[in-house]
Amino acid sequence: MSGPCSYDRPRRIRRGAALTLIFATVLATGVATGTWGERAEGAVEASAPRPAAAVTAPKGGAADREAVERAAAQAMADGKSGSQAAADVVSRSGDRWSTIYTPGEFKDFQQQLDGSYVGVGLWVRQAGGGRIQVSRVAPGSPAARAGIAIGDRLRAINGRATRGRPVTEIVSRLRGDDRRPAEGVGTPVELALAHGPHRWTVTLRRVLLRTQNVTVDRLAGRHGPTRIKVAAFTQGTGEAVRRAVRQAAPRSGLLLDLRGNTGGLVTESVAAASAFLDGGLVATYDVRGSQRALYAEPGGNTRIPLVVLVDGGTMSAGELLAGALQDRGRAIVVGSPTFGKGSVQMPSRLADGSVAELTVGHYRTPAGRAVDGRGITPDLVAGRGAEKRARTVLSGLGTGT
């Protein structure tokens, strides 16, 4: 495996697809406690607990590929775990983004970035008292067909209580483990639910579902601005954003909501940038000292007023897009400083079949700003009420033609 194509299919690597950035497998305490809001079974960063073999090391240098591969090979020769030995090397390197995945774990993440996941179609959030509540239901999913609705409480999964458990753990239980035949597509999962005093139990079968990472709505009625919410950059996200821009009312303005965006495929982030730019630079990046660049396609809508919303959960490919639109003078960025994930990882297959995602470089915005460890600082810093501030700014940008 070669080329900075993290979580991408081998066919894309062979075709020379551009760089993808790794999203964090752990998003700090906010995600662990569920305080960053709802999570879907297909949410890229919350699809499963952190894999046992995966290591996200403290901030520091980059893990050496040869050392990682050598440690894995030696461990296997000694009858030990190659992936664990590789993870130990990564941990000692101080590289906070390099990670070791088993073959099944890597395949699972590839599938998610391809826009699909195994589950029953539920979004959940942590409510008062540690209770787990259904926040959304995917139309046509097993959960929707069973009549599960927004506001229902999820009390237990396969007999195990959910109260007080992290949202990420709940999501993992709902999805099961498609690397194990006993928990893959078509397997049953028993849910104990409640709504008010009513309690019931239902058994659903997991299916392969498509994620919907781009949602579009109109604010303040049909004459208000269009809001395009992008949760992550999986396969097809860029085209979905471009389609939404083409269908937007030209005089109403656009609010591009990247809050909580967990990153994903940078090729899709560049495609999304192409919706707003008429070609030109989106980002530069280095791979082991070799400088490279990413460019938008020509023909994007450069006239419609645009405001971008970001927060501390805006990561990697989401930061790349926000930074490009900000540097190019195409949008006003509103919200709070972003996460600060701007490193490039390259996948490498180890002797035991596991995959080492090792840091090989970093990207910069068109103006040359480094993002890793710094994030994107909004033009207008706003915490609570950021969306209201963004709409006010948008109203002052005039009308598109």
Side-chain angles (χ1 to χ4, degrees), residues 23-391:
F23 47 80
T25 53
V26 176
L27 304 184
T29 306
V31 166
T33 60
T35 57
W36 278 18
E38 68 181 17
R39 291 289 179 268
E41 295 162 299
V44 173
E45 92 292 359
S47 59
R50 184 179 179 187
V55 172
T56 301
K59 184 176 181 179
D64 180 78
R65 176 179 175 179
E66 291 185 2
V68 169
E69 293 177 345
R70 188 165 54 248
Q74 184 61 53
M76 289 188 64
D78 295 339
K80 299 177 181 178
S81 169
S83 60
Q84 184 57 57
D88 290 341
V89 173
V90 169
S91 180
R92 290 194 299 269
S93 74
D95 186 340
R96 64 170 179 167
W97 297 124
S98 289
T99 305
I100 308 299
Y101 292 103
T102 68
E105 289 162 351
F106 191 72
K107 180 180 178 181
D108 187 39
F109 282 118
Q110 283 181 308
Q111 183 183 69
Q112 291 172 58
L113 284 180
D114 198 37
S116 59
Y117 67 99
V118 175
V120 296
L122 287 179
W123 279 257
V124 295
R125 67 181 184 89
Q126 198 169 67
R131 293 173 298 177
I132 299 299
Q133 190 173 56
V134 175
S135 57
R136 276 193 283 168
V137 182
S141 66
R145 292 194 296 270
I148 299 174
I150 295 172
D152 289 346
R153 298 194 311 277
L154 181 58
R155 298 187 298 111
I157 302 172
N158 287 334
R160 296 172 59 193
T162 62
R163 188 162 185 164
R165 305 307 305 165
V167 173
T168 48
E169 177 185 321
I170 302 306
V171 165
S172 177
R173 289 198 226 164
L174 288 169
R175 292 186 71 248
D177 187 342
D178 60 7
R179 296 179 296 278
R180 300 174 183 170
E183 296 184 352
V185 174
T187 58
V189 55
E190 183 185 83
L191 308 182
L193 299 126
H195 196 109
H198 180 51
R199 297 190 175 196
W200 73 100
T201 300
V202 62
T203 298
L204 307 178
R205 290 193 175 275
R206 299 179 176 99
V207 298
L208 189 64
L209 296 165
R210 297 291 300 179
T211 55
Q212 294 182 339
N213 284 315
V214 180
T215 55
V216 183
D217 61 356
R218 293 291 293 275
L219 303 173
R222 63 190 183 93
H223 297 298
T226 298
R227 175 173 53 193
I228 303 174
K229 170 70 175 176
V230 184
F233 289 97
T234 58
Q235 187 67 32
T237 297
E239 178 53 35
V241 171
R242 296 169 77 171
R243 184 167 56 250
V245 173
R246 289 194 297 266
Q247 295 173 352
R251 294 182 177 274
S252 65
L254 286 171
L255 187 62
L256 179 61
D257 191 348
L258 299 179
R259 291 175 298 178
N261 184 291
T262 54
L265 297 169
V266 165
T267 48
E268 295 297 329
S269 176
V270 173
S274 300
F276 307 103
L277 301 170
D278 187 15
L281 187 63
V282 174
T284 60
Y285 65 101
D286 61 281
V287 176
R288 298 194 176 107
S290 175
Q291 299 298 313
R292 307 179 189 184
L294 298 167
Y295 294 95
E297 294 181 8
N301 188 328
T302 61
R303 304 293 296 275
I304 191 168
L306 177 64
V307 171
V308 178
L309 268 171
V310 298
D311 65 5
T314 306
M315 301 175 64
S316 64
E319 293 175 283
L320 184 152
L321 176 57
L325 296 175
Q326 185 182 51
D327 279 6
R328 296 284 301 274
R330 180 61 187 89
I332 302 297
V333 179
V334 178
S336 51
T338 61
F339 187 85
K341 168 63 174 72
S343 58
V344 182
Q345 278 71 40
M346 179 183 293
S348 178
R349 188 76 65 179
L350 301 179
D352 65 351
S354 57
V355 175
E357 287 280 359
L358 305 180
T359 300
V360 296
H362 298 83
Y363 79 78
R364 293 177 178 271
T365 67
R369 291 182 294 159
V371 175
D372 201 54
R374 303 180 184 181
I376 299 295
T377 300
D379 299 301
L380 176 61
V381 177
R384 291 182 179 272
E387 184 169 322
K388 183 177 180 180
R389 297 288 297 276
R391 291 170 62 178

